[in-house]
Amino acid sequence: LFYAYNIGGKWTNPKNLNNPVNTMHWETQPSFSSDGKTLYFVRGLKTRGGIKNQDIYTSELSEEGTWSIPKSLSNVVNTDGREESVFIHPDGKTLYFSSDGHPGMGGLDIYMTQKDENGNWSKPVNLGYPINTFNDENSLLVDAAGQFAYFASNREGGFGDLDLYKFELPQHLKPNMVTYLAGKVYDAETKQPLPARFELIDLKTGHVAIQSYADEVTGEYLVCLPVNQDYALNVSHNGYLFHSENFTLTGGTITKPFEKNVGLNKIKVGETVVLKNVFFETAKYDLKEQSRVELDKLLAFLTKNPNLKIELGGHTDNVGDKKMNQVLSDNRAKAVYSYLVQKGIAKERLTTKGYGDTLPIADNNTEVGRAENRRTEFKVIAN
């Protein structure tokens, strides 16, 4: 197996994946998950009689760019027969493959299995006739919309050997719905593109859904995600303040992606960042569990920039008693302060201030505006 990068519309020279993915045996038919984390491929053992014991394997890509030792997929999927043509859909959970080891119609049949929240694969489902026949069917690909599938078969009525076929997927064989998130990362002042690191985090689970880099030349990115879920977006680049926000991924389609461009500000005294993924209960200052993702991002930022000193500021909307709002905003800033100090950030690098409703950034006459005004932020006071 080899890999190459597309940078600014041009492909780099292919490089061998080497150990532990490639071995003295036969590695083929790779399928890479859309989150950029997991490689699925087929490994067969070379023997004097040819290639035997073909199974589906997975290997994880670390943040350092190294591959984990490949593991054979669950024996719910792999059999004593031959598994091949593995394809992981962009939803990250639906796997299609061919096998002659599961109960089927003869030869290689195409199957579907899905991964649950615990990482367990369901019992493979035979796609059935007229997709599968007593001949060989393999190499299934499903479009991102989950509407059409394409496969190869040597069935009668073709032009000879393997021919390509297309069909519309029935509902029970469809993957989960996905859409695309697309955008560009750039310097907020110069508008020059930045090859920034970005990650999308599932706010419900706290797990990183996507972790990658914007294009080195264009600053553009394009990722595929399941729809109707809440995500936190974090974007960072050396020498810049990080950007964060949260949103529910709805409204985008396969043909019209959900768009989000991000301008990053350089680290300078006076610059402010709104911590959009720090959450509190209404009228309280106890940090919600979902806030840990954002706070750990701030922790990493301060650790990476040891000379930085910041002010943590709390803000409210104008609803309620002004004195109560002042106290609440102060306590919320102190809650973030306490979290960072407990995690090892020196107290001398942090100050806190509650601003109450004195510094709105949006119209307090609307619910949307009031939500924006209820915020926690940090300001660079020394660098």
Side-chain angles (χ1 to χ4, degrees):
L1 298 180
F2 291 75
Y3 70 95
Y5 290 105
N6 188 306
I7 301 175
K10 296 181 180 180
W11 289 100
T12 61
N13 291 328
K15 293 184 178 180
N16 194 299
L17 261 67
N18 294 317
N19 281 318
V21 175
N22 288 329
T23 66
M24 62 178 289
H25 296 291
W26 190 66
E27 286 79 32
T28 187
Q29 299 170 352
S31 183
F32 202 26
S33 62
S34 64
D35 63 6
K37 294 180 182 178
T38 307
L39 175 69
Y40 296 79
F41 66 98
V42 173
R43 174 180 286 170
L45 303 182
K46 285 185 177 180
T47 68
R48 290 183 178 180
I51 306 297
K52 294 184 177 180
N53 300 330
Q54 285 181 210
D55 282 328
I56 299 169
Y57 283 75
T58 62
S59 179
E60 303 290 328
L61 184 62
S62 72
E63 290 189 35
E64 293 75 32
T66 59
W67 294 97
S68 67
I69 296 174
K71 294 181 180 179
S72 175
L73 211 61
S74 163
N75 58 13
V76 172
V77 177
N78 286 327
T79 68
D80 292 335
R82 175 169 46 130
E83 277 71 49
E84 62 178 53
S85 303
V86 61
F87 170 71
I88 182 70
H89 189 267
D91 72 355
K93 296 180 179 180
T94 307
L95 191 81
Y96 301 91
F97 67 100
S98 293
S99 174
D100 63 5
H102 291 279
M105 307 184 72
L108 285 168
D109 279 0
I110 301 172
Y111 298 82
M112 181 195 78
T113 177
Q114 291 186 308
K115 184 169 60 175
D116 64 21
E117 293 183 355
N118 297 317
N120 299 315
W121 294 97
S122 64
K123 182 179 178 181
V125 175
N126 189 303
L127 268 58
Y129 183 84
I131 308 306
N132 290 321
T133 67
F134 64 87
N135 293 295
D136 286 336
E137 282 76 36
N138 59 24
S139 306
L140 184 85
L141 296 176
V142 178
D143 65 17
Q147 182 176 5
F148 293 105
Y150 306 81
F151 69 102
S153 175
N154 63 352
R155 65 186 62 196
E156 294 180 2
F159 289 92
D161 294 325
L162 289 170
D163 288 320
L164 295 178
Y165 296 83
K166 172 186 175 181
F167 68 98
E168 188 168 356
L169 276 170
Q171 190 62 42
H172 72 286
L173 297 176
K174 288 187 175 183
N176 296 310
M177 288 184 63
V178 296
T179 186
Y180 291 105
L181 177 69
K184 182 177 181 179
V185 186
Y186 57 91
D187 183 300
E189 186 176 346
T190 67
K191 309 304 180 186
Q192 290 298 308
L194 295 173
R197 181 178 185 270
F198 65 90
E199 57 184 17
L200 283 144
I201 298 159
D202 186 328
L203 282 173
K204 182 179 179 181
T205 64
H207 295 154
V208 176
I210 296 283
Q211 183 175 279
S212 190
Y213 290 86
D215 189 278
E216 289 183 20
V217 177
T218 65
E220 295 174 346
Y221 68 90
L222 176 70
V223 295
C224 188
L225 290 165
V227 299
N228 301 324
Q229 291 183 208
D230 295 324
Y231 293 98
L233 171 66
N234 287 316
V235 184
S236 59
H237 190 62
N238 288 339
Y240 288 79
L241 296 168
F242 69 85
H243 171 91
S244 71
E245 60 181 288
N246 63 78
F247 56 91
T248 300
L249 195 61
T250 58
T253 66
I254 294 301
T255 56
K256 193 177 190 311
F258 190 91
E259 295 185 8
K260 194 161 288 293
N261 297 320
V262 177
L264 295 182
N265 292 301
K266 288 186 176 179
I267 300 174
K268 291 187 293 188
V269 173
E271 289 286 352
T272 300
V273 172
V274 178
L275 299 171
K276 294 185 178 179
N277 296 312
V278 171
F279 307 105
F280 299 93
E281 294 287 354
T282 302
K284 295 182 180 179
Y285 54 89
D286 299 315
L287 287 163
K288 283 187 173 183
E289 184 65 27
Q290 299 101 304
S291 302
R292 293 184 181 275
V293 171
E294 183 91 326
L295 294 176
D296 287 343
K297 186 73 178 177
L298 177 56
L299 177 67
F301 176 72
L302 291 170
T303 302
K304 191 173 183 178
N305 298 277
N307 296 323
L308 209 63
K309 293 183 179 181
I310 64 171
E311 175 195 274
L312 297 163
H315 300 262
T316 68
D317 57 29
N318 66 350
V319 176
D321 182 78
K322 283 187 174 294
K323 288 184 178 180
M324 293 293 290
N325 284 341
Q326 177 65 40
V327 172
L328 179 63
S329 65
D330 189 47
N331 285 335
R332 286 182 170 179
K334 288 177 178 177
V336 176
Y337 170 92
S338 297
Y339 184 92
L340 295 173
V341 170
Q342 290 172 8
K343 293 289 186 177
I345 300 299
K347 296 179 180 180
E348 297 75 23
R349 300 178 61 192
L350 308 172
T351 61
T352 65
K353 187 170 182 178
Y355 290 91
D357 62 6
T358 62
L359 295 176
I361 57 174
D363 186 356
N364 271 312
N365 293 317
T366 68
E367 180 51 44
V368 173
R370 290 191 292 272
E372 287 188 46
N373 290 331
R374 298 190 295 268
R375 69 195 188 278
T376 306
E377 59 187 26
F378 75 85
K379 180 169 64 176
V380 178
I381 57 177
N383 184 16

